[in-house]
Amino acid sequence: MTFPTPLTGVVPPVCTPLTPDRGVDVRSLVRLVDHLVEAGVDGLFVLGSSSEAAYLTDDQRRLVVETVVGHVAGALPVLAGAIDMTTPRVLDHVRSVSAAGADAVVVTAPFYTRTHPSEIARHFRLVASGSPVPVIAYDLPASVHSKLPPGLVLELAADGVLAGLKDSSGDLASFRAVVTGAREHPGIGGFSVLTGSELLVDSALALGADGAVPGLANVDPHGYVRLDRFCRTGDWGRARAEQERLCVLFGMVAAGDPIRMGGSSAGLGAFKAALYLRGVIACPATADPQIPLSEDEVERVGKFLAGAGLL
Amino acid sequence: MTFPTPLTGVVPPVCTPLTPDRGVDVRSLVRLVDHLVEAGVDGLFVLGSSSEAAYLTDDQRRLVVETVVGHVAGALPVLAGAIDMTTPRVLDHVRSVSAAGADAVVVTAPFYTRTHPSEIARHFRLVASGSPVPVIAYDLPASVHSKLPPGLVLELAADGVLAGLKDSSGDLASFRAVVTGAREHPGIGGFSVLTGSELLVDSALALGADGAVPGLANVDPHGYVRLDRFCRTGDWGRARAEQERLCVLFGMVAAGDPIRMGGSSAGLGAFKAALYLRGVIACPATADPQIPLSEDEVERVGKFLAGAGLL
Amino acid sequence: MTFPTPLTGVVPPVCTPLTPDRGVDVRSLVRLVDHLVEAGVDGLFVLGSSSEAAYLTDDQRRLVVETVVGHVAGALPVLAGAIDMTTPRVLDHVRSVSAAGADAVVVTAPFYTRTHPSEIARHFRLVASGSPVPVIAYDLPASVHSKLPPGLVLELAADGVLAGLKDSSGDLASFRAVVTGAREHPGIGGFSVLTGSELLVDSALALGADGAVPGLANVDPHGYVRLDRFCRTGDWGRARAEQERLCVLFGMVAAGDPIRMGGSSAGLGAFKAALYLRGVIACPATADPQIPLSEDEVERVGKFLAGAGLL
Amino acid sequence: MTFPTPLTGVVPPVCTPLTPDRGVDVRSLVRLVDHLVEAGVDGLFVLGSSSEAAYLTDDQRRLVVETVVGHVAGALPVLAGAIDMTTPRVLDHVRSVSAAGADAVVVTAPFYTRTHPSEIARHFRLVASGSPVPVIAYDLPASVHSKLPPGLVLELAADGVLAGLKDSSGDLASFRAVVTGAREHPGIGGFSVLTGSELLVDSALALGADGAVPGLANVDPHGYVRLDRFCRTGDWGRARAEQERLCVLFGMVAAGDPIRMGGSSAGLGAFKAALYLRGVIACPATADPQIPLSEDEVERVGKFLAGAGLL
């Protein structure tokens, strides 16, 4: 389908259900997509952080895109991450996911290497010139270890290099600079400014963001769709109440013991445990080398679901 | 060939010569290997940081290993990096480079993801159990954003998971803990402790390291072979003089303007410019999105070579 | 005066005007206080980051508190920073500023030392037990290099250790956790949750914050007072417009050349240049070793003022 | 006394013994100084990190300098830290410790503030121009959060601003650049390059350092004096054996449980427990808010002492 300009609304970063032996569970993935689409989301983002893209092999990545694109069949736009260290490797993924039908690619700055701001700009320009589909910048300093400056994002937007920004930096002031900058720049039109936050969707939409890409929307897509609708109609009181409810639900990411596992394990493990407990996916396994949640920890996730009326 | 236990001496991390359009320049790569082997190095490490592994596509990585392994034909051990974000992706590279003939693989902790120490241990155990060749841990905090604790390295060595360590952390005190720990632990034998430093090879060998993997050995392999021999014979005065000479030569990595480019661009650009000026490779190009050295900056590299009598 | 529970509204962190030879310019300080009070601010915070507390000697700090407390004479509450590395040194400042009449002290976690979370908790407990006035926690990771976890803040609030939080972390999601946590915790009453952001005051107040401590309020106190009033009356459209106007004005902090000076120099230099150009203070000097703005840079600050109708 | 040019040998950073109620224990401090001087050390450094300078009030700092300077009475040089955030506050300490008789001051780059390299240079120039005694730069990135570049140190040395460097960065390659740069620069004479490492004293002296400032020398000054003498006579084999013995002893800094306390608490707590167990000081207390070692942990420290024959 044609990529919307701008893309707006709720665009969940789709989890990648795995089998007990860590293959992609295609049937669960299809069920998860149905679960999201039926809740009324506005797009799907596969191969992002919540999708465990960093853990999936190239074959698995291709299978995920083909499965989701094939299943939604143009009903809504599918964005795909092209997550790798540098330009040539990213371009390989861009070719692969766009061939598999992705409507746009989501790309970070180079990581692992020590990269200068001018090289980050060059990276996005080279990726865009080699991509058959629009390029969304993915700002994720916790993983990439550099922050995309708003000025750079706006410059690349004005030059037609970038079609949007997915901002998971946690820095709402910097995000606001892109939102207002994109709105006021005469040469920028149709640019999508999306927040990756689960916890500040109302704040982001209130200051003018186009949409949200919250990992927790896997677990409660109806909640985020409601939140988005409240914001669009200016019902800020109910938006805030819905957002605060989702903040409480998000507490599940701390169910895993931080003495025993990392943040990825705990957060992704909780989302998958919740999807498993809700009957959406068949197995809560996360990819290696992540430590799985214990039975007790899964039970704690269940309590968050029960508290939110989702069980 | 059988991987030496331990591997000792000078093991250059082999640069990857590129053509002007950023393909692997196989003829230059072969000439570079000859340049190193003829200087008397003890092994070769391909697909490391100095090889621009982070910038090479999977096809290019395979071509590099096949070329080098085919050319040296068992005359000396070839180690290959299997550099990727997490266990499943690293295992794909391990299978690929070992099928192409690498005698050992060099593997970092997970990066991009937020990984707990227990997950790092699990990562190395899973990689080793899936690898047909010995696994060397690669400690590179500047890229990986975590440091391998000496205690973990020694535990994995004692359990037969790791066959060695390539330490590019710059933390010689931590390195020393591995060197003396490996020497004194009854269950550890044949473990290779290698420094990735260009500037402290004499210090590392004096405190008991097995060898060195200095990027600058691409440019001056004879210098590092001499330095290694001085250290082995306890001629510390001449070792220090040779090391100090090489420290001056290493100054070339600052030829690139830090206002204009990143550390990778400047360092790798200087090594490749030097190999080009010395007539070893046909083109000094570095991979995208790195900024190339200017003519003036290449000239500055030339002055370092001239000062060292290498032109 | 009695410290309000909670303190709400606009509480500017008062700049410290200096003479050309870097003494405290008491007359300018009094004029600045008048400028703020007349604009309708709700409290004053002296000896914070915008006050250059880190650069002021103990004698200068005392003079600042005495001057401001003496001048406002109880008309509105005066908070004073007690900024130092560890508990015993902080307690010396607490005694000094409270003796000089401060109504509350503002205290960071220990810095310079490597401090464990349990030691941060112990620090605040010891400071509070030694302080004759309420203690506000100051979360400033850019300076302190640790982040106060919301759970710790709420625990210390519930125990009566902390009377408020000034959050300059830039992490609005974490800030929200304190705001909602303090509201819902039965044992917490009158706790002041204040944002240190210049750019997200509308967002912070919309999610329930009590007030704001924006450095830019030195330059345009009327703007922040208007913004606060719009938020309190639920006029979110005009609040957003006012906030966006202040965001543009805040652009002045980039007037100083980042190649030539640090962020403190550029930001504080711009605020003081603006106060000087507006005729509030007699000299725009910042403390040593900060690099002063050039004439051209001061002129750029002037353009921001002109654009905002403040000249 | 006149400050030696260069200062060489072992210069322990003297611990500050405290009473159970956290006052300076002057009698224990004098005993500790005697313990060090009788072992043959070449100088004393008070008010550094191992002295808990960050935790001492200004009154306590003054008492420490007066006590130590008074007791050694010119028999060996006394360096004193002037540790604070910025130039004006550092200058207050410089005046205080030099008035109390310190022969040189030890000064870090600014911290807490966001400081540009040019401001770091300006800081040292201003401090030196206001100091009646020589200024030694203190490179401690773990506390200061910036690293002193070798080029800057050498520039300041050549201009007569700095009389030496105490390098606790852990970056021996950067340290080497200062050592060889100072040796070869025609305008630099008598500059003291001192390592702050406990674990690499042999390496540092082998590459040309003037001396060492190891915190562990409080516990085993005889060991470090022996090590220094072996290095000076070129007896590298015995030097390495002595250094490795001291590395084992240094393991005591891990006696404190990292789940329960920070690195400062564990390291300083271990040194003080060891001095207490050896009968040098009357009480092992560390300053607030550090968590004290438990009885079990103190017992573990004792085992390290026993293993080294120091009980």
Side-chain angles (χ1 to χ4, degrees):
Chain A
M1 69 173 296
T2 310
F3 188 74
T5 50
L7 175 64
T8 59
V10 178
V11 184
V14 186
C15 285
T16 307
L18 299 179
T19 60
D21 60 351
R22 271 51 175 182
V24 173
D25 178 348
V26 170
R27 291 185 57 181
S28 287
L29 177 55
V30 166
R31 263 205 311 274
L32 173 54
V33 167
D34 286 341
H35 163 72
L36 299 172
V37 172
E38 285 159 15
V41 303
D42 302 284
L44 296 172
F45 171 34
V46 297
L47 304 186
S49 298
S50 296
S51 320
E52 297 175 90
Y55 301 90
L56 302 178
T57 64
D58 287 354
D59 288 348
Q60 292 177 323
R61 289 183 178 196
R62 206 172 304 118
L63 178 57
V64 165
V65 181
E66 286 170 355
T67 299
V68 173
V69 167
H71 189 66
V72 303
L76 72 181
V78 178
L79 293 66
I83 307 301
D84 216 311
M85 292 170 254
T86 60
T87 317
R89 295 185 62 80
V90 167
L91 276 169
D92 269 5
H93 294 291
V94 165
R95 280 183 282 266
S96 173
V97 300
S98 58
D103 299 303
V105 291
V106 185
V107 172
T108 70
F111 52 90
Y112 187 86
T113 59
R114 289 171 295 155
T115 308
H116 189 272
S118 66
E119 293 163 342
I120 294 175
R122 196 157 178 258
H123 169 72
F124 281 113
R125 291 181 186 279
L126 289 167
V127 168
S129 73
S131 174
V133 295
V135 176
I136 313 285
Y138 193 173
D139 194 16
L140 185 62
S143 290
V144 173
H145 298 281
S146 70
K147 169 94 188 70
L148 294 180
L152 174 62
V153 172
L154 292 169
E155 172 198 316
L156 294 172
D159 290 355
V161 171
L162 295 179
L165 170 71
K166 193 226 155 179
D167 183 325
S168 297
S169 71
D171 180 345
L172 195 67
S174 159
F175 181 78
R176 174 169 230 160
V178 176
V179 167
T180 54
R183 188 187 67 210
E184 284 162 20
H185 192 295
I188 301 180
F191 187 78
S192 301
V193 193
L194 309 170
T195 177
S197 174
E198 275 92 357
L199 306 171
L200 297 172
V201 174
D202 58 340
S203 306
L205 293 178
L207 57 77
D210 295 296
V213 191
L216 186 64
N218 283 278
V219 177
D220 189 5
H222 296 87
Y224 280 100
V225 169
R226 270 195 306 274
L227 169 53
D228 179 65
R229 300 312 170 244
F230 290 142
C231 292
R232 291 193 188 281
T233 56
D235 191 348
W236 298 112
R238 294 171 81 188
R240 177 171 151 187
E242 186 68 34
Q243 176 66 79
E244 290 183 355
R245 194 187 62 76
L246 289 162
C247 289
V248 173
L249 183 62
F250 187 72
M252 70 169 60
V253 302
D257 181 355
I259 300 289
R260 210 169 58 80
M261 65 177 69
S264 298
S265 297
L268 299 173
F271 290 169
K272 287 186 147 183
L275 288 169
Y276 170 73
L277 292 171
R278 295 201 72 190
V280 179
I281 68 175
C283 166
T286 49
D288 288 327
Q290 293 172 96
I291 305 285
L293 296 194
S294 68
E295 267 183 54
D296 275 9
E297 290 164 345
V298 171
E299 207 171 297
R300 291 181 61 197
V301 171
K303 284 181 185 159
F304 281 97
L305 290 177
L310 295 175
L311 267 195
Chain B
M1 70 174 296
T2 312
F3 188 74
T5 49
L7 174 64
T8 58
V10 178
V11 184
V14 184
C15 285
T16 307
L18 299 178
T19 60
D21 60 351
R22 271 52 176 184
V24 173
D25 178 348
V26 171
R27 290 184 58 182
S28 286
L29 177 56
V30 166
R31 264 205 310 273
L32 173 55
V33 167
D34 286 340
H35 163 72
L36 299 173
V37 172
E38 285 160 15
V41 303
D42 302 282
L44 297 172
F45 172 34
V46 298
L47 304 185
S49 299
S50 296
S51 320
E52 296 175 270
Y55 301 91
L56 301 178
T57 65
D58 286 355
D59 288 348
Q60 292 177 324
R61 290 184 178 196
R62 206 173 304 117
L63 177 57
V64 164
V65 182
E66 286 170 356
T67 301
V68 173
V69 166
H71 189 67
V72 304
L76 72 182
V78 177
L79 293 65
I83 306 302
D84 217 311
M85 291 170 255
T86 61
T87 317
R89 294 185 62 81
V90 166
L91 276 168
D92 268 5
H93 294 291
V94 164
R95 280 185 282 267
S96 173
V97 299
S98 58
D103 299 303
V105 289
V106 184
V107 172
T108 71
F111 52 91
Y112 187 86
T113 59
R114 290 171 295 156
T115 310
H116 189 270
S118 67
E119 293 165 340
I120 295 175
R122 196 158 176 258
H123 170 71
F124 281 114
R125 291 182 186 279
L126 289 166
V127 168
S129 74
S131 174
V133 294
V135 176
I136 313 284
Y138 192 173
D139 194 15
L140 185 63
S143 292
V144 174
H145 299 282
S146 71
K147 169 94 188 71
L148 294 179
L152 174 61
V153 172
L154 292 169
E155 172 198 316
L156 294 172
D159 290 356
V161 170
L162 295 179
L165 170 71
K166 192 225 157 180
D167 183 326
S168 297
S169 71
D171 180 345
L172 196 67
S174 160
F175 182 78
R176 176 170 228 159
V178 176
V179 167
T180 55
R183 188 187 68 211
E184 283 162 21
H185 193 294
I188 300 178
F191 187 79
S192 300
V193 194
L194 309 170
T195 178
S197 173
E198 274 94 356
L199 306 171
L200 296 172
V201 174
D202 58 340
S203 306
L205 294 178
L207 57 77
D210 294 297
V213 190
L216 186 64
N218 283 279
V219 177
D220 190 5
H222 296 87
Y224 280 100
V225 169
R226 272 195 304 273
L227 169 54
D228 179 66
R229 302 309 171 246
F230 290 143
C231 291
R232 289 190 192 285
T233 56
D235 189 349
W236 298 112
R238 292 171 81 187
R240 176 172 154 187
E242 185 68 34
Q243 177 67 79
E244 290 183 355
R245 194 186 63 76
L246 289 162
C247 289
V248 173
L249 183 62
F250 187 72
M252 71 170 59
V253 303
D257 180 356
I259 300 289
R260 210 168 58 81
M261 66 177 69
S264 298
S265 296
L268 298 173
F271 290 170
K272 287 187 146 181
L275 288 168
Y276 170 72
L277 292 171
R278 295 200 72 191
V280 179
I281 68 175
C283 164
T286 49
D288 289 327
Q290 294 172 94
I291 305 285
L293 296 193
S294 67
E295 266 185 54
D296 275 8
E297 290 164 345
V298 170
E299 206 171 296
R300 290 182 60 197
V301 171
K303 284 180 185 159
F304 280 97
L305 291 177
L310 295 176
L311 268 194
Chain C
M1 68 176 297
T2 310
F3 188 74
T5 51
L7 175 63
T8 59
V10 178
V11 185
V14 185
C15 285
T16 308
L18 299 178
T19 60
D21 60 350
R22 271 51 175 184
V24 173
D25 177 348
V26 171
R27 291 184 58 181
S28 288
L29 177 56
V30 166
R31 263 205 310 273
L32 173 55
V33 167
D34 286 340
H35 163 72
L36 299 172
V37 172
E38 286 161 15
V41 304
D42 303 284
L44 297 172
F45 171 34
V46 297
L47 304 186
S49 298
S50 297
S51 321
E52 298 175 89
Y55 301 91
L56 301 178
T57 64
D58 287 354
D59 288 348
Q60 292 177 325
R61 290 184 178 196
R62 205 173 305 116
L63 177 56
V64 165
V65 181
E66 286 170 355
T67 300
V68 173
V69 167
H71 189 65
V72 302
L76 73 181
V78 177
L79 293 65
I83 307 301
D84 216 311
M85 292 171 253
T86 61
T87 317
R89 294 184 63 80
V90 166
L91 277 169
D92 269 5
H93 294 290
V94 165
R95 280 184 282 266
S96 172
V97 299
S98 58
D103 299 301
V105 291
V106 184
V107 172
T108 71
F111 52 91
Y112 187 86
T113 60
R114 289 172 295 155
T115 309
H116 189 272
S118 66
E119 293 164 341
I120 294 174
R122 194 157 180 260
H123 169 72
F124 281 112
R125 290 181 186 279
L126 289 166
V127 169
S129 73
S131 174
V133 294
V135 176
I136 314 283
Y138 193 173
D139 195 15
L140 185 62
S143 292
V144 174
H145 299 280
S146 70
K147 168 93 187 72
L148 294 180
L152 174 61
V153 173
L154 292 169
E155 172 198 316
L156 294 172
D159 290 356
V161 171
L162 294 180
L165 170 70
K166 193 226 156 177
D167 183 325
S168 297
S169 71
D171 181 345
L172 195 67
S174 159
F175 181 78
R176 175 169 228 159
V178 176
V179 168
T180 55
R183 188 188 66 210
E184 283 161 22
H185 193 295
I188 300 179
F191 187 77
S192 300
V193 193
L194 309 170
T195 177
S197 175
E198 273 93 356
L199 305 172
L200 297 171
V201 173
D202 58 342
S203 307
L205 293 179
L207 58 76
D210 295 298
V213 191
L216 186 63
N218 284 278
V219 177
D220 189 6
H222 296 86
Y224 280 100
V225 169
R226 270 195 306 273
L227 169 53
D228 178 66
R229 300 311 171 244
F230 290 142
C231 292
R232 290 194 188 281
T233 57
D235 190 348
W236 298 112
R238 292 171 82 188
R240 177 171 152 187
E242 185 69 34
Q243 176 67 80
E244 290 183 356
R245 194 187 62 75
L246 289 162
C247 288
V248 172
L249 183 62
F250 187 71
M252 72 170 58
V253 302
D257 181 356
I259 300 289
R260 210 167 60 80
M261 65 177 68
S264 298
S265 297
L268 299 173
F271 291 169
K272 288 186 147 183
L275 287 169
Y276 170 73
L277 292 171
R278 294 199 73 189
V280 179
I281 68 175
C283 164
T286 49
D288 289 326
Q290 294 173 95
I291 305 285
L293 296 193
S294 68
E295 266 184 55
D296 275 7
E297 291 164 345
V298 171
E299 205 172 297
R300 290 182 59 198
V301 171
K303 284 181 185 158
F304 281 96
L305 290 177
L310 295 175
L311 267 194
Chain D
M1 70 175 296
T2 311
F3 189 72
T5 52
L7 175 64
T8 60
V10 178
V11 184
V14 185
C15 285
T16 307
L18 300 178
T19 61
D21 59 352
R22 272 51 176 183
V24 173
D25 178 348
V26 171
R27 290 185 58 181
S28 287
L29 177 56
V30 165
R31 264 205 309 274
L32 173 55
V33 167
D34 285 342
H35 163 72
L36 299 172
V37 171
E38 285 160 14
V41 304
D42 303 283
L44 297 172
F45 171 35
V46 298
L47 303 186
S49 299
S50 296
S51 320
E52 299 176 89
Y55 301 91
L56 301 179
T57 64
D58 287 355
D59 287 349
Q60 291 177 323
R61 290 183 178 196
R62 205 171 305 116
L63 177 57
V64 165
V65 181
E66 286 170 355
T67 301
V68 173
V69 166
H71 189 67
V72 304
L76 73 181
V78 178
L79 293 65
I83 307 301
D84 217 310
M85 292 171 253
T86 61
T87 317
R89 294 185 63 81
V90 167
L91 276 169
D92 268 5
H93 294 290
V94 165
R95 281 183 281 266
S96 173
V97 299
S98 59
D103 299 302
V105 289
V106 184
V107 172
T108 70
F111 52 91
Y112 187 86
T113 59
R114 291 172 294 157
T115 309
H116 189 273
S118 67
E119 293 164 340
I120 296 175
R122 195 156 177 260
H123 170 71
F124 281 113
R125 290 181 187 279
L126 289 165
V127 169
S129 74
S131 175
V133 295
V135 176
I136 313 284
Y138 192 173
D139 195 15
L140 185 63
S143 292
V144 173
H145 299 281
S146 70
K147 169 93 188 73
L148 294 180
L152 174 62
V153 173
L154 292 169
E155 172 197 315
L156 295 172
D159 289 355
V161 170
L162 295 179
L165 170 71
K166 193 226 158 179
D167 183 326
S168 297
S169 70
D171 180 344
L172 196 66
S174 159
F175 182 77
R176 175 169 229 160
V178 176
V179 168
T180 55
R183 189 187 67 210
E184 283 162 22
H185 193 295
I188 302 178
F191 187 77
S192 299
V193 194
L194 309 170
T195 177
S197 173
E198 274 93 356
L199 305 171
L200 296 171
V201 174
D202 58 340
S203 306
L205 294 178
L207 57 77
D210 294 297
V213 189
L216 185 64
N218 283 279
V219 178
D220 189 5
H222 296 87
Y224 280 100
V225 168
R226 271 195 304 274
L227 169 53
D228 178 65
R229 301 311 170 245
F230 290 143
C231 292
R232 292 194 186 281
T233 56
D235 190 349
W236 298 112
R238 293 172 81 188
R240 176 171 152 187
E242 185 69 33
Q243 176 66 80
E244 290 182 356
R245 194 186 63 76
L246 289 162
C247 288
V248 172
L249 182 63
F250 187 72
M252 72 170 59
V253 301
D257 181 356
I259 300 289
R260 211 169 57 82
M261 65 177 69
S264 297
S265 296
L268 298 174
F271 291 169
K272 287 186 147 181
L275 287 169
Y276 170 73
L277 292 171
R278 295 200 72 190
V280 180
I281 68 175
C283 165
T286 49
D288 288 327
Q290 294 173 96
I291 305 285
L293 296 193
S294 67
E295 267 185 53
D296 275 8
E297 291 164 344
V298 170
E299 208 171 295
R300 290 182 61 198
V301 171
K303 284 182 185 157
F304 280 97
L305 291 177
L310 295 176
L311 269 193

